[in-house]
Amino acid sequence: MWRVQCKLPSRVSDVLQTGNAGSARGGLDAECGTAWVTHEGRVHAWALPSRAGDRSTEGGAVPDTYAEYDVAPRVAGDTSPPLVHVASADGGATLWVVAAGAASGKVAVARCDGVAGAREEMGEARLPRRENTGAAPRVTALTAIPSARGGLIAVVGCDRGELFLVECVARGTVTATAMRRDGASGGSTPGGASTPGGGSINTPSKWGAAAMSSAKAALRFLTDPLAVDATDTDEDAVRSLAWAGPSQGRGDATRLIALTGRRLEEWEVDRDGGGGHALVVSNRALGAVMRALRTEGDVELISAAPAPGAGVGAAVVVLAAEGRRWSLHRAELRAGGDSLAVLASAVPAAGAVPSGGGGARGGATVLAGGAPTDAALVVTPGGGAALFAHETLSEQMLMHDPAAGGGRVMSAAAAPSVGGWLMLTELMGVVAYSPATADAAATPTEVEREMETEAPPPLAAVDVPIPPIDVDPAEAEAAVRAEFAAYASGSGGVPSEAGFRLRAAGALTSSLDAAASPEVVSAAPFASNSRAIVDALPKHWPGPSGPGPAVEMHLDEKARRHDMFLQWLVEAAGVYNLLSAAERERILEHGEMVAALLCVRQIHNEAAEADELEGGGGEEVGKPLELLREAAVAAGEALQSSDAAVKGRPAAEVCYSRATGCATALLPALADGIDAHAGADSQGSLHERATALDTLSRALLGALNAAADYRRSHAPLYPPSISSGPTAPSPRWNAGEGARQALRAAAVAAVLLRDEAARGGAPDLAAPLGSRLLAVATPLLDACAADVAAAEPGSDARAAARAEYISARNTVLPALMDAAREGGGGSGGFHGAGRPGFGVTMDAVAAVAEAHFGYEQLAEVCEAALAEAADATAVASATARLHHHMRTLRGAPVDGEGTFATFMFERSMSHPGCSGSVGRRIAETLQNTPDEFYDELTDCLRPRPPLLWLHQLRADDYVGAASTLRGLSGTGAKGISGKGATLAERRQFLSLAKLSLLASGASSEADEIVSIDAALNLTEIQCGLLARRSDGKGDDSATPLPPLRLVESCLGEGNGGAAGSEPEDVLDAFSVFASAGGAFREANKTLLEACWRRAAAETDWEQLSELRASAGDVKYVRSLVNTPVARAARRCYQKSFAVRLGPPFDEVLTPRDVLNLLEGAIGGGDRSDAALDPIREAIGLYALVEGDDEDVVPRDSYDMDV
């Protein structure tokens, strides 16, 4: 429903009625309650009435306030009109006008008194000139809001993506601040950062710092030698700016949505002033939109608007255009700088978004947040408007074409408070539009309650959905046929009236969803008439002589008439937009089939003409005609078996008359012909089989290409692709089972024939057969990929489709690679063989491989380019190409397709090394891989620890490298597949692990360092033991012993007894206990007690007792210190002496327990207490025995460094 919200001011009406009013621009700000029109440098601004009924007159309410402002020529410039925004915070009493010259680089701010009309210049700001050119940035977008301090805040967007924050508080205080994308600046930074955790940053010790420097210096060989300087690229122009409401949790900041040519950004701007701003989210938008549209064409982002939503990120609606085709996308911004998350996409049919005579796409605007809440309003530069609703934005609720009356829509804004939307029109002023929904009809809006006069509707709305009624399908089909016949004959009157008659006849009441069967869709009234056109039989059948040129003329007429049918649907009051997507798709599919059949017929006629010129005597010339006639006959016979209307007619002509049989009959017939005349079981010479392949594959590819050309030329008429969940729409007929069967037959035949020709059968045919293989490879793989994408993930159908895809890929890609390696050859008589560039090139193979996971072939192409590079520039270019493929080919995880980066890493690992333990290619991979692939390289190297630690060190992941090295200290240099590390490997890897931890800043007393030191100590103990028992030779290739075996070896068990009697061996056993940890000591307490008894047995305590009584203290203490018991006590109980892992020895054996143990072992009941004193004193040298008040011997009376 339409209501006039506010009449145009009389001065504005006068301006818009002049002859050059087309250059006037309008603006509307529903939140501020302002509207304005700019014409020839003058801004006419007014405030909308706060309540529509307060000052209403006939035809709507009058503005509350009005003012005019002339933009200075120095600001406006002389090339393009200035960009203007008018804001107000006090109901229009004060109107803030901000104007930016498109090319002058100047922004002016003025304050106007809306009541008295007086204006005050507040000042100007000049945008910074660019350093490289000295030119001022070109302004492309502008928006403004009142500031919290009573002034104005504006954001200006420019042609290279720059954003400037313009602020004004008082006269002469206009400032412009560049909004940087590398961090917040100015004022109180929104979302201020803090140090994570709030704690201090740990600084490594001087030993850790020294180790860090040493480690990094030792690893300098890992520096990338091919590093090149990165070059910055400019962003595309800022396309639109829109305020998105206050920031969550920060009432003093407001959100801003900015759209550039490639990205969509969310900013926070402080409303308190001071220049505070921050970039919150920046997402790649262009690529996401192109993926949603499934196109690689010239897509341009036009506008974006914030939308209601409860998702994780900010909800937006994006307007894009590709040629003359518009598209709408509902999306969410994602944190982390990833791609925009497109939730739904819609491509309105041709004519659904009226241009109003404006040819340019730029300047269109999309708006959201009105009513319904899921709706989006599009306003074009020419004054057209269209409203789309539903989650998928597929339901059209409004279409306004200014060419049909009602004038231009100059601007619009979402306004839920007035029922939906406000629109500034050049004839009626500001009107409120409330969509005719059930909710809106039940609840009258405030405007409806207060308005006294209802204006005539200036716009034409499309009432959807249409209420269902009972209709006879036959009558509906007949009504469509009659209306089109009248249109075609010129007797149907105005086409726009046909839509009403068709609606009355019930032809527009069918509702087909995406799940409707093909039979149901074909029976729909419009699809049924479309099929009747393309399957119409000729009035006169040819005689026994066969088909003639009349058949081709018949097909031309069908194509012309079908195009007329489409034109009629579009012109008949938007009838085409009301058809279901399935029915529209089927109608266009009929046009594709006519185009395909017409192409095959033309090839057939060419063969017939060639045969006629030769008089029918040349076997090689007549062969193509015979092959094509055979295929047409086979297709016609297949159609005759299920169509009684054509039985008894010439089979070839049935094929060329029933266009819808192209997919079900003609393509399978071509496949059978290729198998019979060029396949593995075919007879004839190589040249004959090659000729058969050439003829039939040209017909096949011609048909498929003609269908694709038809789709491209009619692209605006196609409905958007609708997928359900993770699956894509079902493959089209030219990628269906019949097409795949024919393409597979052609590909297999081309592979076999090319291989036979290359091996010497006919070298002149190798190049043309390779070219033909390339021609069928792309459509075959594309069709197989579409079949995979349409099947449900995890289903049997998906598995079968994937198996077919892999089989086709393995058939054609290696053969293409062979053809590219072997180069060209003669023409061989193939059609098109004489054209320049005939044959298969490496770049052509790379293009196919890149699109279809042909990683092996793509890797060979990239490596060949690197091998052929003659200088550093060529090497850098080839490397950049490889990295581009690694960056963009992300695989298909749902189908088990990995990324190209992972494939390249795995490939380099399988290449044989040139020297040493790390091959040249592996070293190059570790050195030259850019940082962006580190995570993938890490995952690839996890099963290969000997290489993983090198990569982790290059990535400065010292902690991860230490963990990997510790693992290698157990498995050895061969990693998991090895038989275990040797003593030398264990020592090497543990030392590197310790070095890595120190380089990371770990303290030398950290648990990880102590654990490594203990493991190194065990290694040194075993090495020393082996050296003593082999006369100093040692054996670093021996396998490290576990702690228990090592203790047993130290005690001489299993070593002949004599070897274990050396005191050093016994002392090493105590060192093993010290480095093996508390759990080991607890579990082997009995063995530890045996070690103490063995240590005590190594000393003559009677002799030592006599020395105690007769010699001096110094001599006695020195002898006591050198006893194994004293040295063992020192290793076990003195904290500063040796490595000790785990809790103290006291938790297993206290010094008192050891003393009691040794007194019992040595005393035996027949020794005096004086003989046991040396034992007590030996232990007491380094341990405080429980119950002793002081040391047995003064600590400063003996050498502690023994």
Side-chain angles (χ1 to χ4, degrees):
M1 181 174 292
W2 297 93
R3 301 281 185 181
V4 177
Q5 180 77 359
C6 177
K7 296 171 59 177
L8 292 173
S10 58
R11 293 291 301 275
V12 177
S13 297
D14 294 341
V15 168
L16 296 180
Q17 291 173 9
T18 60
N20 60 349
S23 62
R25 293 186 177 185
L28 192 61
D29 190 329
E31 184 176 355
C32 293
T34 56
W36 62 95
V37 169
T38 306
H39 182 250
E40 296 182 348
R42 173 164 292 186
V43 181
H44 303 265
W46 66 96
L48 304 181
S50 56
R51 295 181 63 84
D54 292 345
R55 304 179 60 190
S56 60
T57 62
E58 183 178 357
V62 298
D64 278 351
T65 60
Y66 173 78
E68 296 182 5
Y69 170 70
D70 291 323
V71 182
R74 65 178 181 276
V75 175
D78 55 1
T79 56
S80 301
L83 282 75
V84 175
H85 195 101
V86 178
S88 178
D90 52 8
T94 303
L95 297 172
W96 289 89
V97 181
V98 56
S104 67
K106 295 180 180 180
V107 181
V109 179
R111 182 170 58 189
C112 300
D113 187 333
V115 179
R119 57 181 179 268
E120 179 184 6
E121 293 282 358
M122 304 303 291
E124 297 177 6
R126 180 185 294 273
L127 303 181
R129 293 183 176 272
R130 297 192 173 111
E131 296 181 357
N132 54 347
T133 62
R138 185 174 184 83
V139 177
T140 57
L142 171 67
T143 188
I145 54 172
S147 70
R149 295 193 292 174
L152 181 81
I153 295 176
V155 176
V156 177
C158 300
D159 57 341
R160 292 189 182 176
E162 308 102 320
L163 292 174
F164 296 94
L165 183 61
V166 178
E167 293 182 287
C168 176
V169 178
R171 186 182 180 90
T173 62
V174 181
T175 60
T177 305
M179 299 173 67
R180 299 180 58 84
R181 289 180 169 85
D182 55 0
S185 64
S188 57
T189 304
S194 61
T195 303
S200 61
I201 300 175
N202 292 328
T203 303
S205 65
K206 64 178 182 179
W207 301 113
M212 186 184 302
S213 298
S214 300
K216 292 180 177 178
L219 300 171
R220 193 173 298 156
F221 74 94
L222 292 172
T223 303
D224 183 359
L226 296 178
V228 294
D229 294 335
T231 57
D232 295 331
T233 57
D234 293 328
E235 290 280 349
D236 287 343
V238 176
R239 305 303 173 91
S240 69
L241 298 169
W243 300 108
S247 301
Q248 294 183 358
R250 295 196 73 246
D252 59 342
T254 188
R255 297 160 51 231
L256 175 73
I257 300 298
L259 177 70
T260 71
R262 289 176 290 180
R263 304 188 73 87
L264 189 64
E265 301 173 341
E266 179 184 354
W267 292 77
E268 284 185 354
V269 177
D270 273 355
R271 295 195 69 165
D272 288 340
H277 65 274
L279 176 61
V280 180
V281 178
S282 179
N283 283 176
R284 296 187 297 272
L286 181 58
V289 168
M290 293 178 67
R291 285 192 297 272
L293 295 175
R294 300 170 183 250
T295 182
E296 296 181 359
D298 182 20
V299 177
E300 181 181 355
L301 302 182
I302 303 298
S303 176
V312 177
V316 293
V317 173
V318 179
L319 175 67
E322 180 183 9
R324 298 173 60 187
R325 182 174 71 160
W326 299 94
S327 61
L328 288 164
H329 308 270
R330 191 183 303 281
E332 282 186 358
L333 285 160
R334 292 293 193 227
D338 204 348
S339 293
L340 186 71
V342 178
L343 307 180
S345 297
V347 180
V353 182
S355 63
R361 298 181 297 184
T365 305
V366 67
L367 302 161
T373 56
D374 59 5
L377 177 66
V378 179
V379 179
T380 62
L387 182 65
F388 300 90
H390 197 261
E391 292 181 356
T392 60
L393 298 171
S394 57
E395 295 183 2
Q396 186 163 7
M397 306 187 71
L398 168 70
M399 181 176 68
H400 167 64
D401 189 347
R408 292 182 299 154
V409 174
M410 304 181 71
S411 184
S417 62
V418 298
W421 309 88
L422 286 178
M423 299 185 194
L424 173 60
T425 66
E426 65 178 352
L427 296 183
M428 303 302 299
V430 179
V431 298
Y433 171 65
S434 302
T437 62
D439 294 339
T443 306
T445 65
E446 179 182 353
V447 174
E448 291 171 343
R449 289 192 299 266
E450 298 184 354
M451 289 299 294
E452 299 177 356
T453 304
E454 180 178 347
L459 308 179
V462 178
D463 296 328
V464 291
I466 302 168
I469 58 176
D470 294 332
V471 176
D472 183 359
E475 292 181 1
E477 182 181 348
V480 174
R481 183 167 56 253
E483 286 291 342
F484 173 62
Y487 173 82
S489 63
S491 60
V494 180
S496 59
E497 298 176 356
F500 300 100
R501 292 192 294 271
L502 291 171
R503 185 193 298 267
L508 295 175
T509 60
S510 63
S511 57
L512 301 176
D513 55 21
S517 66
E519 293 77 14
V520 173
V521 176
S522 297
F526 293 91
S528 178
N529 274 272
S530 172
R531 177 166 184 164
I533 293 173
V534 301
D535 280 351
L537 299 176
K539 296 180 180 179
H540 302 285
W541 293 92
S545 60
V551 175
E552 185 174 346
M553 295 173 59
H554 187 215
L555 285 172
D556 277 331
E557 174 61 21
K558 284 184 178 182
R560 185 195 64 79
R561 191 168 182 82
H562 192 266
D563 274 347
M564 183 186 296
F565 182 70
L566 285 172
Q567 182 180 357
W568 169 69
L569 291 178
V570 173
E571 293 180 358
V575 168
Y576 192 73
N577 300 334
L578 299 178
L579 302 183
S580 68
E583 191 169 5
R584 282 182 279 166
E585 188 79 28
R586 185 54 52 86
I587 292 171
L588 292 166
E589 186 178 281
H590 293 157
E592 295 175 7
M593 291 180 175
V594 171
L597 203 58
L598 181 58
C599 179
V600 176
R601 181 65 236 185
Q602 288 172 347
I603 296 175
H604 195 154
N605 285 348
E606 290 174 3
E609 291 173 1
D611 184 62
E612 184 178 352
L613 290 175
E614 295 293 331
E619 181 179 352
E620 290 299 325
V621 175
K623 186 71 172 177
L625 177 60
E626 178 185 339
L627 292 169
L628 291 170
R629 183 182 294 121
E630 179 183 328
V633 168
E637 291 175 349
L639 291 171
Q640 286 175 328
S641 64
S642 59
D643 190 349
V646 294
K647 287 184 178 180
R649 302 293 184 182
E653 296 315 308
V654 171
C655 168
Y656 290 122
S657 299
R658 295 298 202 197
T660 55
C662 192
T664 57
L666 179 58
L667 295 182
L670 290 173
D672 294 340
I674 292 173
D675 284 336
H677 298 284
D681 298 330
S682 60
Q683 303 296 322
S685 66
L686 177 59
H687 279 79
E688 289 175 345
R689 286 177 285 146
T691 300
L693 173 63
D694 176 45
T695 300
L696 296 176
S697 63
R698 278 201 311 121
L700 169 63
L701 294 174
L704 299 181
N705 290 335
D709 289 341
Y710 181 92
R711 184 178 181 88
R712 280 190 291 270
S713 63
H714 293 74
L717 297 177
Y718 280 83
S721 298
I722 300 177
S723 60
S724 58
T727 62
S730 299
R732 300 179 54 77
W733 71 272
N734 53 355
E737 183 178 357
R740 296 197 303 275
Q741 177 187 355
L743 288 167
R744 192 183 310 111
V748 171
V751 170
L752 295 175
L753 295 176
R754 198 214 68 84
D755 183 62
E756 183 178 346
R759 285 187 284 106
D764 60 319
L765 290 177
L769 284 168
S771 181
R772 185 48 47 91
L773 174 61
L774 178 62
V776 299
T778 297
L780 170 61
L781 296 178
D782 286 345
C784 291
D787 191 36
V788 172
E792 189 72 25
S795 63
D796 293 340
R798 184 92 170 200
R802 174 163 162 71
E804 180 184 357
Y805 186 25
I806 293 175
S807 174
R809 195 165 65 199
N810 294 339
T811 298
V812 301
L813 290 178
L816 283 176
M817 198 68 204
D818 291 340
R821 289 196 201 97
E822 294 167 6
S827 65
F830 268 41
H831 286 271
R835 67 180 184 272
F838 186 72
V840 181
T841 64
M842 285 289 188
D843 287 341
V845 177
V848 179
E850 181 180 1
H852 296 287
F853 308 109
Y855 291 164
E856 181 65 33
Q857 290 72 34
L858 190 59
E860 290 185 30
V861 172
C862 294
E863 291 176 352
L866 279 169
E868 296 171 0
D871 51 30
T873 302
V875 170
S877 176
T879 304
R881 177 182 182 179
L882 172 63
H883 291 163
H884 167 75
H885 292 317
M886 294 171 64
R887 185 179 303 111
T888 56
L889 300 181
R890 308 309 300 164
V894 69
D895 292 317
E897 299 284 1
T899 67
F900 182 60
T902 300
F903 175 85
M904 287 301 300
F905 296 144
E906 294 287 352
R907 179 182 172 87
S908 67
M909 301 306 142
S910 62
H911 190 277
C914 295
S915 62
S917 60
V918 179
R920 176 180 59 84
R921 290 190 51 185
I922 297 176
E924 289 177 351
T925 299
L926 295 176
Q927 292 175 13
N928 302 336
T929 300
D931 296 357
E932 60 184 302
F933 304 118
Y934 273 11
D935 291 342
E936 288 179 84
L937 180 55
T938 300
D939 293 338
C940 178
L941 293 176
R942 289 196 191 283
R944 303 173 177 86
L947 299 175
L948 175 60
W949 72 272
L950 292 169
H951 168 64
Q952 289 171 323
L953 286 178
R954 184 173 185 266
D956 292 340
D957 182 11
Y958 298 111
V959 175
S963 176
T964 304
L965 288 164
R966 291 201 66 179
L968 287 171
S969 69
T971 61
K974 294 184 179 180
I976 299 174
S977 61
K979 297 182 179 180
T982 65
L983 288 173
E985 290 174 338
R986 186 182 182 93
R987 183 191 302 112
Q988 176 188 5
F989 290 129
L990 286 174
S991 299
L992 287 170
K994 180 178 180 180
L995 183 63
S996 296
L997 286 174
L998 291 174
S1000 72
S1003 168
S1004 59
E1005 296 180 359
D1007 291 343
E1008 296 88 347
I1009 301 293
V1010 172
S1011 177
I1012 292 176
D1013 285 340
L1016 284 170
N1017 193 39
L1018 291 175
T1019 304
E1020 295 304 323
I1021 291 171
Q1022 184 175 350
C1023 290
L1025 188 65
L1026 291 173
R1028 289 194 297 273
R1029 293 180 178 177
S1030 60
D1031 298 328
K1033 296 179 181 179
D1035 184 11
D1036 283 351
S1037 63
T1039 302
L1041 297 175
L1044 181 59
R1045 291 281 310 279
L1046 188 55
V1047 171
E1048 294 172 349
S1049 180
C1050 290
L1051 296 179
E1053 299 179 16
N1055 292 288
S1061 62
E1062 296 185 13
E1064 292 297 329
D1065 295 350
V1066 177
L1067 292 173
D1068 280 346
F1070 286 99
S1071 296
V1072 174
F1073 274 103
S1075 298
F1080 177 79
R1081 292 192 287 270
E1082 185 68 34
N1084 297 277
K1085 180 178 179 180
T1086 302
L1087 186 59
L1088 178 60
E1089 292 173 347
C1091 290
W1092 279 109
R1093 285 191 289 269
R1094 177 69 68 84
E1098 296 290 336
T1099 303
D1100 186 346
W1101 297 105
E1102 293 285 351
Q1103 181 181 356
L1104 198 58
S1105 178
E1106 294 175 359
L1107 183 64
R1108 181 175 184 270
S1110 61
D1113 289 345
V1114 174
K1115 184 176 181 180
Y1116 170 69
V1117 169
R1118 287 180 176 174
S1119 299
L1120 196 64
V1121 166
N1122 288 322
T1123 62
V1125 171
R1127 295 170 68 184
R1130 186 180 186 186
R1131 294 197 178 192
C1132 294
Y1133 297 109
Q1134 188 178 26
K1135 296 180 180 179
S1136 61
F1137 176 70
V1139 175
R1140 185 179 298 108
L1141 186 64
F1145 270 76
D1146 302 63
E1147 294 191 8
V1148 179
L1149 282 177
T1150 65
R1152 169 58 65 183
D1153 295 335
V1154 173
L1155 181 58
N1156 293 337
L1157 174 68
L1158 297 185
E1159 286 178 347
I1162 300 300
D1166 58 353
R1167 297 196 181 191
S1168 63
D1169 291 340
L1172 298 177
D1173 286 339
I1175 296 178
R1176 289 192 292 270
E1177 292 167 349
I1179 296 175
L1181 287 174
Y1182 300 104
L1184 181 62
V1185 180
E1186 184 180 355
D1188 293 344
D1189 294 333
E1190 58 183 10
D1191 293 341
V1192 177
V1193 180
R1195 295 300 176 103
D1196 57 357
S1197 63
Y1198 55 88
D1199 185 7
M1200 295 295 294
D1201 295 329
V1202 174

